[in-house]
Structures are given as C-alpha cells and as structure tokens.
Amino acid sequence: MWDDAFPSFLIGLREGLEAGLIVSILVATLVRAEARSRLPQVWTGVLAAIAVAMSFGAVLTFTAASMPQTAQEAFGGVLSVIAVAFVTAMVFWMRRSARNLSSELKQKVSGALAMGSGMLILTSFLAVGREGLETALFLWTTAQAAGESAGPLTGAAIGLLLAAGLCWGLYRRVLKINLTKFFTATGVVLIVIAAGVLGYGLRDLQEGGVLPGKTAYAVDLAGSIDAGSWYSTLIQGVFNLMPTMTWLQVVAYVAYLAVVMTLFVRGVRVTAPKAKPEREPETATQRSAGASGEGSAAPKPAARRRPVWVVPAAVVAVPAVLAGLFVALGRPKPAGDQTVAVSETDCGKGFTAPEPGRQTFQMHNTGRQASEVYLVDPSTNAVYGEIEGLAPGTTRDLVATIAGGTYAWRCVPASGKAVTSKAVTVTGGGAAKPVAPVSEQDLAAPLKSYKSYVGKGLDTLAGQTRALQHDIEGGHLDRARTDWLTAHRTYASLGAAYGTFEDFDKKIDGRADGLPGGERDKDFSGFLRLEYGLWHGRSAKELTGPARQLSTDVAGLGKAFPSQDFDPGDLPLRAHEILENTLQFELTGDTDEGSGTNLATADANLAGTRELLTVLKPLLTDRAPKVLPTADTDIDRVQKLLDAQHDGGHWTPVEKLSDADRRRLDGATGQLLEDLAPIPDLLEIRKSA
C-alpha cells in the first residue's frame, strides 16, 4: 500500500504547499490589518476551487474520460500565467500598504482593499484551483493504476494535512512580526514563488504545443538529482524549480524575478510619507449627536442583507451541477446505438455514417472464425481503431474518435481473405489521428539491417568466447574474469530478448532458476555458469568443460542465425522488451552470479536498444516524429546514470547502490520504457488482405 501511497503523498505535499503558502499569507495580511470581515471572501475562493477540483474528479471517475494530454498541459499553463498576474498585483498592493504603515492603517485598510471582493476571491481561487485540478487528475490516474488499493487517497490526504500544518505554522508566525517587515518579507517570498509558477506554467504551455522549445533544455540535472526525494519535493513545491528546465522557463524565471523584484525593492525604499495626525477620539456628546441624527437627514432604512450562506452555497452548487450535467450528457453513446456484424463473408453489416466525435461501436462476430477487426480509411488503409481475436458469437466494444473523412470496416478471419465493408463519408468534426499501416515489406529493410548488426556481433562474440576458453584452459582466471565480462556485454548488446535466438539463448545465457540442482545442476551452462564458477573459487579444471561448451554453442548460433525464422513483426517489440528484461532482471540483481556486473549488462542492453531504434527510425519518424527525440533524451539520462556507476572496468554492484541512486536508475529506466511503449502499436503489421 505504501508503494501506492508515497507518490500521492508527495504530490499532496507539493500541491498543498504551493497553494497554502499564498492563502496563508493572504489570510495573515487581512488579520493583521484587522480586516477579518474580508476573510469570508478568501475562504469563498478556496471553497470554489475545492468544489471545482472535486467536480473535475467526479467527471473523470464517472465518465472515464479526460482532456487530451496537450489540452491538460495548455489549460494548466494558462491558469498558471493568470495566477502569476493576480499574485503580482497582490504583491504590489502589499508594497503600497507598506509605505503607509502607521496608526492610520486600521482606518485606511478598507481603502487599501478597495480592489473589491472579486480580487480576493480570484486570488485564493487561482492559488488553490490550479493545484486542485492537478491533484484531482493525478489521484485519478494513480487510483486507476492501483486498482482497489486505498494507497493513493491515503497518501494524498497525509501530504495535504502536512502541507496544511506547515502553512498554519507560517500563518501563526506572521501574526507576531512587525507589519512593515511582514509586508516586505512576504512580498519577496511571493515574487520568488510567482517566478516559479510562471516558469512551470510556460512549461505546461510548451507541453501543450502552445509555445515552442519543448526539448530545448537549459538545465538537465535529472541524472544527478533525485526528483522524488523529500528535499527535491519541497523545493519543487515551494519554488517550482525543476531538475529539468527549458530555456524559455529559465529566461522567464530570471527576467520576471529581476524586473519585479527590482521594482518591488525600489518601492519599499521610497521614503514613506509622514503619517497624518490621528483623529481625536469622538466625545460622548459627538457620538450622541451622531446617533440622534442632529443636523442630518433622517436615517435611511437598513438595506436587506443577503444571507451569508448564499455565495458559499453557490460556489459549491454551480460546479457540482455543471459536473452532473457533463456526466449525464457527456458520456459516450451506448454501445448498442450501432451494432456492426463481423464475419468471413459479410463485414460491416449495420454500419452507417456515424456522428463526429468519440463513438463506441458494438462489434458482433456472426461468423465461424475468430477475426481481427479494423476501422480504416479504405483509401490509405490507415487504422482508427481495432479489435484483435474477436471470437465467434462474441461481442466487444470498439471505441474510436470520428472526424471528417472516409471510413470502412475490415474483417480479417483467422483463415481466408480479408473482407472490407462499404465505405461511408463523415463531414465536419475536425481531424482524427489514425495509425499509418505497416506491412512486412516496410519492415524488410530494418530487419535486414538489424540481422546484419547481429551477424557481425556474433562473429565478434565467437572470437571473444574462444579467448575466454583459452584463458580458462591455461589457468589464467584473472584474465578470464575480464574476458568474460567483455564477451557477456557483447552478447547482451545483441538483444537476446524473448526468444530472439530460439533455444540457443537458454544454452548461452540461461539462468539456474528452476533447475533441480540450482547452480550445480548439469543443465546449468553458458555465461552465468562460468560467472558463478569464476567468482566462487572454482578451479580452471572445473570450468574448462563449461567454457568449451559455451564456445561451441556460440559458434553454433553464428551458423544457425542467418537461417533462423525471425518474424518481422517481432522487431518493433524488441525496442521495448530488451529494457523490460533489464528492469526485471539486471536492475534487481536477479541475474548476478557473483561478478557484481549487472549494471554493465544493463549498459549493453541499452546499446542494443539504441541500435534497434536506429534501424526503425525511418518508420517511426513518419508516424510519430516525437517518439524518437523523447526516447533519445531518456536514453541519454539512463546512460549518464550508468556511467556514474563504473570506473574503468569496475562496476558498482546493484546491491551496493545507494537508495537514491537505485531510485533514480529505476525511475529513468521506467520512464524510458513508458516512452518506448507506443512503438509496437505504431509499427504493428496489420493484415489488409
């Protein structure tokens, strides 16, 4: 549960601090100025923001839909920039108030706050609203991933409570300090916070495609700073300084800080005007005369006051009602609205031109064979949606986004020819992004290049294993340990994942797990068998047989590989699977048989992944131009982390990594895997005939 709770705890702490700092300063300002009557306006804004965030969470939960990622980023960026504008206005109001701090402040505070209730409501709403929306979205996604675990909600609650406690401490502190110092100090703090919010908001706008420079990094400390540590979380939460920042973020941060801080400090240094003499207290006679209305018009009838609960109730009710309407009206149409038949002879029966937007089709297999089903553009074969392995007599939903264009159904039975339905045309509705089809012919050139790379690598490996064999036969075990690592890294770089080399992989790099005798089992062979022997004091005589067998198996693989059946459709899978194995085995130390060189193997696996991406580059660039630049950035980050863990031929064993280093390496590899995950779908071979 803690594994699920900890990320949510950090986000709750971070977002709570960012929102709470501004609100606590604002509340303390009003209390010190004896303007407590304005506090309900602040809490109204806070309540409205919480209501909006909870309504947003309800929409996500009950519709299972969310804004596109780019829209989320753009929306958050706009909110950030607006928040900076309001916070800056508040800071300069504080500066003007600081000039006139005297005995007349209590009388003039109403005039100083004449910006109106809307200013206070908006400032507190924006301070809390942006963080609330981010928190709601984060919790929804983590809760979905955690299944029935209560970890995400528990962690977020703890983080928010801790943030509230810290902000309460700040509030209590500022109630005891000199007002002039309070205005000046909090003004400086708020300017620094606002500079970070501005940089963060601009990054969101870059991620949302509104502003350029998304990959133009000025600072990239992700390889040397643990973004998940408590100190990093606090710095990010308070100042919005990230380990990785673009040039636009850095320039905007520095420029805002320089300009606004300079204007603020200059304003504070201006000589404050002399305070006007305080008014003499009213005498009892004067108060009596005022009360009796002597010399004045008859008192006006008291205005009918609005109940104090109306505005708070409204700010809660309005988002809730809007969310309810969205849930009721925004759900996808029931799947039964359009049922489409699938069979070997009649594909697409019942299909009519759908409305633009997100649509759900009920695909019912009326035939006798399992079938793959695609929603395609018949002119280009581009795929908008698909179902694999639709069994006879079964029904499944296919969800697709429909825009202006031509659509048809293609049914590909397990045996027999593909059948394509009559095409329909949809007008309006913007544009959708289909997946361009990939054929075996498209993958032929990348496969040829990759097989050439592997073939050359196997030739090199054969020579290296022969050298290893000779070392052991000659009793040079120290040299054998060095040559073992060289040969094993070569083998790992060839991408031996998920049966690439068929049965040879088990002989050459098989593990002792599952064998009755473990490391002593007669069927335990290959690199890991030699590793165990070389690092557990076995004699050269004991290791000679396994070394000869390894050399023989590598030579046999070199001869067999050119004629081995390598499915072209497996090639895109390797881009993800090699590092999936790395995260599961090498980075856990699971395959370490004593040498402590799992990170060296991980480094070789990374090299193999680079090679795969190189041969797939022409296909990926046309279909998803952002995938490779993102993956390259991730690979460089993992590479830096691995490079930091070896000195010459010595590598840090996985079990001796610090907790921070292990978290950084696992996190960077996990992020790389996430960014590589779309590749198999993008380059999947889809049958068209």
Side-chain angles (χ1 to χ4, degrees):
M1 178 176 170
W2 178 244
D3 291 341
D4 294 330
F6 188 65
S8 299
F9 164 76
L10 292 180
I11 200 70
L13 178 63
R14 168 193 160 81
E15 305 298 341
L17 274 176
E18 189 170 341
L21 282 174
I22 297 174
V23 173
S24 60
I25 290 174
L26 186 57
V27 170
T29 301
L30 297 177
V31 173
R32 287 301 307 268
E34 295 190 4
R36 291 178 179 270
S37 62
R38 306 295 295 274
L39 287 178
Q41 296 161 8
V42 174
W43 297 123
T44 297
V46 173
L47 189 62
I50 294 173
V52 168
M54 295 184 69
S55 299
F56 180 57
V59 169
L60 291 175
T61 300
F62 292 110
T63 64
S66 62
M67 290 184 294
Q69 183 66 28
T70 54
Q72 296 169 18
E73 303 291 356
F75 181 68
V78 171
L79 269 185
S80 298
V81 174
I82 294 174
V84 169
F86 278 96
V87 170
T88 305
M90 187 178 71
V91 164
F92 280 93
W93 164 76
M94 291 166 63
R95 187 202 69 185
R96 288 195 299 273
S97 297
R99 292 180 182 178
N100 299 301
L101 288 177
S102 65
S103 60
E104 65 177 310
L105 179 59
K106 295 179 183 179
Q107 300 173 6
K108 291 193 172 183
V109 69
S110 297
L113 293 174
M115 294 175 172
S117 60
M119 176 65 181
L120 293 175
I121 293 174
L122 274 174
T123 300
S124 56
F125 173 79
L126 288 170
V128 179
R130 172 181 171 275
E131 315 311 325
L133 290 175
E134 287 185 353
T135 304
L137 184 62
F138 177 86
L139 287 179
W140 183 80
T141 55
T142 53
Q144 291 292 106
E148 297 182 358
S149 172
L153 294 179
T154 302
I158 296 173
L160 289 171
L161 288 174
L162 180 57
L166 292 172
C167 292
W168 172 254
L170 171 67
Y171 165 75
R172 298 297 298 174
R173 175 60 184 163
V174 299
L175 288 180
K176 300 177 181 179
I177 65 176
N178 178 275
L179 265 179
T180 304
K181 293 180 179 179
F182 166 69
F183 275 98
T184 303
T186 53
V188 170
V189 172
L190 283 174
I191 288 171
V192 174
I193 292 174
V197 173
L198 178 62
Y200 189 88
L202 293 177
R203 177 59 177 171
D204 280 347
L205 291 173
Q206 288 179 311
E207 293 285 352
V210 177
L211 295 176
K214 175 182 174 181
T215 58
Y217 295 114
V219 179
D220 188 359
L221 302 177
S224 54
I225 294 179
D226 181 11
S229 63
W230 65 268
Y231 57 85
S232 180
T233 299
L234 286 177
I235 292 174
Q236 293 178 51
V238 176
F239 301 110
N240 266 304
L241 291 174
M242 304 297 172
T244 303
M245 296 181 71
T246 65
W247 280 106
L248 178 61
Q249 285 180 278
V250 172
V251 170
Y253 183 92
V254 173
Y256 176 89
L257 203 58
V259 173
V260 177
M261 189 70 78
T262 300
L263 293 175
F264 179 79
V265 172
R266 284 180 179 176
V268 170
R269 290 177 178 174
V270 173
T271 303
K274 293 182 179 180
K276 295 180 181 180
E278 295 188 21
R279 292 171 54 189
E280 293 294 330
E282 291 183 325
T283 65
T285 303
Q286 289 172 322
R287 289 195 298 271
S288 177
S292 65
E294 182 180 340
S296 62
K300 297 181 180 179
R304 186 176 182 181
R305 296 187 63 186
R306 180 175 55 199
V308 295
W309 55 266
V310 171
V311 174
V315 299
V316 173
V318 170
V321 170
L322 292 177
L325 290 173
F326 189 90
V327 171
L329 303 177
R331 287 178 181 269
K333 293 182 179 180
D337 277 3
Q338 189 167 153
T339 301
V340 181
V342 175
S343 73
E344 305 92 302
T345 57
D346 190 5
C347 181
K349 185 177 181 181
F351 179 49
T352 58
E355 294 293 326
R358 188 177 176 84
Q359 299 293 335
T360 302
F361 302 94
Q362 194 174 44
M363 311 306 298
H364 179 60
N365 191 341
T366 60
R368 296 182 178 180
Q369 297 186 43
S371 181
E372 295 182 4
V373 186
Y374 304 109
L375 179 62
V376 301
D377 179 343
S379 62
T380 64
N381 290 324
V383 178
Y384 291 90
E386 63 183 295
I387 293 177
E388 296 183 355
L390 182 61
T394 60
T395 302
R396 285 163 59 186
D397 290 347
L398 186 150
V399 181
T401 299
I402 304 298
T406 304
Y407 297 85
W409 291 103
R410 177 163 295 141
C411 305
V412 185
S415 62
K417 295 183 178 180
V419 180
T420 303
S421 73
K422 181 180 178 181
V424 300
T425 301
V426 177
T427 57
K433 293 183 178 180
V435 176
V438 174
S439 65
E440 290 192 12
Q441 185 61 36
D442 294 327
L443 285 168
L447 181 59
K448 182 179 179 181
S449 297
Y450 185 65
K451 292 186 74 170
S452 174
Y453 160 78
V454 172
K456 292 177 181 177
L458 288 174
D459 289 341
T460 301
L461 180 65
Q464 292 171 342
T465 52
R466 285 196 298 270
L468 174 60
Q469 176 188 340
H470 295 154
D471 292 339
I472 292 175
E473 288 175 341
H476 307 299
L477 297 187
D478 286 339
R479 188 191 306 166
R481 294 184 185 96
T482 300
D483 287 346
W484 175 90
L485 180 58
T486 301
H488 191 240
R489 281 169 54 83
T490 298
Y491 183 76
S493 70
L494 303 181
Y498 292 85
T500 299
F501 298 138
E502 298 179 353
D503 292 338
F504 280 98
D505 183 52
K506 185 177 180 180
K507 298 177 183 178
I508 293 173
D509 205 34
R511 298 187 298 156
D513 295 2
L515 296 177
E519 283 82 0
R520 298 179 180 275
D521 195 282
K522 61 181 180 62
D523 292 328
F524 182 37
S525 63
F527 278 111
L528 300 189
R529 169 69 179 87
L530 287 175
E531 178 187 5
Y532 180 82
L534 287 170
W535 274 272
H536 283 82
R538 299 297 183 265
S539 67
K541 182 178 180 181
E542 292 177 280
L543 297 176
T544 296
R548 290 175 178 172
Q549 186 61 50
L550 173 62
S551 183
T552 299
D553 290 336
V554 168
L557 174 59
K559 293 179 180 178
F561 179 72
S563 59
Q564 283 182 339
D565 183 20
F566 198 122
D567 187 345
D570 288 344
L571 191 62
L573 295 173
R574 298 295 181 268
H576 184 271
E577 290 171 343
I578 293 174
L579 290 178
E580 192 175 66
N581 271 4
T582 302
L583 189 61
Q584 181 180 358
F585 300 121
E586 274 69 45
L587 296 187
T588 60
D590 189 57
T591 54
D592 183 14
E593 292 290 354
S595 69
T597 59
N598 271 81
L599 295 184
T601 305
D603 181 71
N605 289 338
L606 193 65
T609 301
R610 283 184 188 271
E611 181 63 28
L612 271 168
L613 294 178
T614 299
V615 301
L616 293 172
K617 182 176 181 179
L619 296 177
L620 288 171
T621 301
D622 292 341
R623 289 164 176 79
K626 295 182 180 180
V627 167
L628 280 180
T630 302
D632 287 342
T633 301
D634 292 341
I635 288 175
D636 290 341
R637 186 171 295 138
V638 175
Q639 188 69 67
K640 288 179 182 178
L641 293 173
L642 289 172
D643 289 344
Q645 299 303 326
H646 75 95
D647 180 15
H650 175 73
W651 290 79
T652 303
V654 170
E655 67 272 12
K656 292 186 178 180
L657 287 173
S658 68
D659 289 341
D661 287 339
R662 177 173 285 193
R663 285 197 304 269
R664 281 195 289 265
L665 187 55
D666 288 347
T669 306
Q671 182 62 54
L672 173 55
L673 276 169
E674 183 177 333
D675 291 330
L676 292 175
I679 291 178
D681 285 336
L682 289 169
L683 301 184
E684 180 183 354
I685 296 175
R686 293 173 170 88
K687 299 177 182 178
S688 59

